[in-house]
Amino acid sequence: MKIPPVLFFLLSIILLAFPVQWLNKLEHAVLAVTKPLVYLHSKTPSITAEAEYDPRIIESLKPKDKIKFLEQRILELNDTITLLKNENTSLINKIKSISDFRTTIPSALNIKEHYDIIVSDVVIKSDASVWRRSIIINKGENDGLKSGLTVVWGKYLVGKISDVGAFTSRIQLITDPAFRAQVLIMPCADTRVSDDVSRMPFGVLAGISFDSAIVKWVSREYKVQNGWEVYSAPDPNALIPKGLIIGKVNNISPDGFFYNLSITPAIDFYNLNDVLILRPKIK
Amino acid sequence: MKKFITIIGIFVIFLEVLLFYKLEIKGVRPDFLFIVIFIATFYYPFENMIFPIWLLGLLKDIISQSGLGTNAVLYLFIALIISLTKQVIFKEDMGIQLVVLFLGAWLCNFCNGAGLVLFYGTPGWGYIIMKSFFIGFYTTLVGGFFLMLLYSFISYIQLRSGQF
């Protein structure tokens, strides 16, 4: 039986018109197939070689077999060392990320009081569409995540959670065209964001589906220059803490009473292996 | 053949998210799924390929952040245009195939980008025209390579079976 193509066109258009919330369940069901990748991604060293090894075995072997056995044993131990080194590097990076995040946030904001920090590994580092920018992590609804939570790496803003499945979640990066956040622009690279930010220029960050973003609606009464740093602004609605580094201004173009700033992000998203998710505590 | 194209397409989608992002140059990477759909539409009757193409487009929408149905309708629309014009144009000419591949990839990506500008206001019309042009160009380069491989393979098979 031949199905007329018009039927598929109509079905696609109907799907496009459907509310996103209704279709999320379907997306999450398909994202569940990434679960095996989560297991593959975990680099826990195998301890089977340790468990199977019995020192008495070596005594019963002939000298020729003994050498072969010991060579095999050295290879196994080398593999274990490599795995442990990888795990150690990964753990050091995670600790550094948490430590950087805690030192960056203004002292007035007590992190323990406001946020639970959830550490997660990146499973898929790219979006299938060249026009969107997202990554997939190995934590989901079962780990207490929900849409809209802020994602950081150390003192850098990475993005926010856009979709949550049972075991995986999608993070919308700051370079995605749909990402919006209030930001402030500061001249000094080394100063921490003070509590008084009222005299700093504000703007709205928007991604442009490339490894850069733009900041719109920056008032021209401030003399912004190339090289100024862009930080997240205090925004109680967006759940984003202030003072997270976003990037540097690399181009300024006037647009009426405002500036449009081109931003180079401070981190390379393709090299991210783990991220921190900030879950606000319910009071 | 339907199942074969569907399996190849699913494999390509997973490779796109796991591996092919490393081929990205300044935010531009080839549209591998479009190459698969192009070859399928060019060499097989469109009527047989409707469901696989729609399914692969939908799967790409699910895996990416695109609106559900966007790529499904775009791929189907461009496949329909290719199937209607392939009787008119000289389809054995590889130059024409590459031109059709470029125009198809450009149009598909331009429509994808246009959707973003209409919904979110970024990244701007000039940017999406340029970016979709370069995606089309990159896709044509990679697609041309695959077409040459395909032709070489077909020639080899014909040579072995004694058709020459």
Side-chain angles (χ1 to χ4, degrees):
Chain A
M1 190 188 74
K2 283 184 180 175
I3 309 163
V6 181
L7 200 73
F8 285 102
F9 279 114
L10 282 175
L11 196 57
S12 306
I13 291 162
I14 290 167
L15 280 173
L16 272 170
F18 259 55
V20 179
Q21 292 83 356
W22 294 10
L23 300 168
N24 274 355
K25 293 284 173 197
L26 177 65
E27 288 200 15
H28 299 160
V30 176
L31 279 179
V33 299
T34 58
K35 199 184 172 189
L37 287 173
V38 177
Y39 289 123
L40 282 174
H41 192 264
S42 59
K43 302 180 193 75
T44 314
S46 163
I47 53 161
T48 49
E50 294 295 324
E52 285 169 7
Y53 175 65
D54 184 356
R56 282 172 298 179
I57 296 172
I58 202 160
E59 302 301 324
S60 61
L61 292 172
K62 290 174 187 170
K64 198 179 170 187
D65 292 338
K66 206 180 266 182
I67 292 167
K68 273 186 185 173
F69 179 83
L70 287 172
E71 278 174 354
Q72 182 65 30
R73 183 81 188 131
I74 288 167
L75 287 174
E76 282 173 6
L77 288 174
N78 274 341
D79 286 348
T80 312
I81 290 168
T82 312
L83 285 165
L84 285 169
K85 271 183 182 172
N86 287 344
E87 195 188 22
N88 191 33
T89 313
S90 168
L91 288 171
I92 288 171
N93 283 338
K94 282 174 187 170
I95 291 166
K96 188 178 176 299
S97 174
I98 295 171
S99 151
D100 278 358
F101 173 69
R102 288 195 168 160
T103 51
T104 305
I105 297 304
S107 54
L109 187 66
N110 188 341
I111 290 300
K112 279 184 185 171
E113 214 175 85
H114 289 78
Y115 295 101
D116 285 327
I117 299 173
I118 300 164
V119 185
S120 175
D121 289 330
V122 177
V123 180
I124 295 177
K125 296 183 178 183
S126 163
D127 197 300
S129 169
V130 77
W131 294 97
R132 305 303 298 264
R133 285 289 183 266
S134 68
I135 54 177
I136 292 176
I137 56 166
N138 68 346
K139 294 274 165 70
E141 218 164 24
N142 292 353
D143 304 287
L145 301 191
K146 57 182 182 179
S147 295
L149 296 184
T150 303
V151 182
V152 299
W153 187 86
K155 52 192 173 182
Y156 306 101
L157 180 64
V158 171
K160 65 180 178 187
I161 294 179
S162 59
D163 297 318
V164 189
F167 315 101
T168 53
S169 304
R170 187 193 299 282
I171 297 171
Q172 186 180 65
L173 300 177
I174 56 169
T175 47
D176 186 78
F179 187 87
R180 293 288 184 279
Q182 193 183 16
V183 294
L184 57 97
I185 302 108
M186 290 177 71
C188 212
D190 295 327
T191 45
R192 281 171 51 166
V193 180
S194 66
D195 290 334
D196 180 27
V197 289
S198 56
R199 296 198 59 77
M200 293 294 163
F202 279 86
V204 176
L205 179 78
I208 57 165
S209 80
F210 175 44
D211 292 334
S212 65
I214 52 170
V215 177
K216 300 196 280 190
W217 313 116
V218 180
S219 172
R220 284 182 73 177
E221 66 182 67
Y222 300 99
K223 299 292 171 206
V224 181
Q225 290 171 8
N226 282 339
W228 282 28
E229 296 227 335
V230 180
Y231 295 89
S232 61
D235 187 355
N237 295 325
L239 308 171
I240 301 175
K242 71 179 171 187
L244 294 169
I245 300 171
I246 291 168
K248 270 187 180 171
V249 177
N250 65 22
N251 189 30
I252 303 161
S253 52
D255 181 16
F257 293 109
F258 302 98
Y259 286 125
N260 276 345
L261 311 176
S262 182
I263 303 294
T264 307
I267 45 172
D268 180 7
F269 298 108
Y270 285 148
N271 285 332
L272 272 182
N273 291 320
D274 48 81
V275 290
L276 307 178
I277 298 138
L278 309 181
R279 186 175 58 190
K281 286 184 176 169
I282 302 160
K283 289 185 178 174
Chain B
M1 189 46 67
K2 279 182 186 178
K3 281 179 190 168
F4 178 70
I5 293 293
T6 313
I7 290 166
I8 291 277
I10 291 170
F11 184 63
V12 165
I13 290 173
F14 277 97
L15 281 182
E16 270 193 296
V17 290
L18 296 174
L19 199 67
F20 290 161
Y21 69 88
K22 291 183 178 176
L23 296 173
E24 198 166 291
I25 303 168
K26 299 275 179 192
V28 172
R29 66 171 183 254
D31 194 341
F32 285 94
L33 187 60
F34 186 78
I35 295 171
V36 172
I37 286 168
F38 172 81
I39 292 172
T41 320
F42 224 82
Y43 289 97
Y44 299 102
F46 175 67
E47 292 75 30
N48 295 347
M49 288 296 140
I50 293 171
F51 183 68
I53 290 171
W54 182 78
L55 191 72
L56 290 173
L58 200 68
L59 194 64
K60 187 168 179 175
D61 289 330
I62 290 169
I63 296 281
S64 74
Q65 279 194 104
S66 313
L68 206 60
T70 314
N71 279 304
V73 76
L74 277 174
Y75 283 148
L76 209 54
F77 177 66
I78 289 164
L80 178 67
I81 292 173
I82 291 170
S83 73
L84 290 174
T85 52
K86 75 179 176 186
Q87 303 302 329
V88 184
I89 58 175
F90 185 50
K91 85 170 192 181
E92 297 304 322
D93 187 338
M94 196 171 164
I96 292 177
Q97 287 179 14
L98 292 181
V99 170
V100 174
L101 178 62
F102 169 76
L103 289 175
W106 179 81
L107 182 65
C108 184
N109 279 285
F110 176 77
C111 293
N112 254 317
L116 288 178
V117 177
L118 291 172
F119 279 107
Y120 303 116
T122 46
W125 289 105
Y127 181 81
I128 62 158
I129 290 169
M130 287 303 291
K131 184 167 174 173
S132 40
F133 177 85
F134 284 116
I135 293 172
F137 185 70
Y138 202 175
T139 306
T140 310
L141 280 179
V142 176
F145 174 72
F146 279 111
L147 280 174
M148 278 200 291
L149 277 183
L150 190 69
Y151 283 141
S152 308
F153 180 70
I154 292 168
S155 304
Y156 174 73
I157 297 289
Q158 284 175 340
L159 198 66
R160 281 200 62 162
S161 60
Q163 285 185 27
F164 280 123

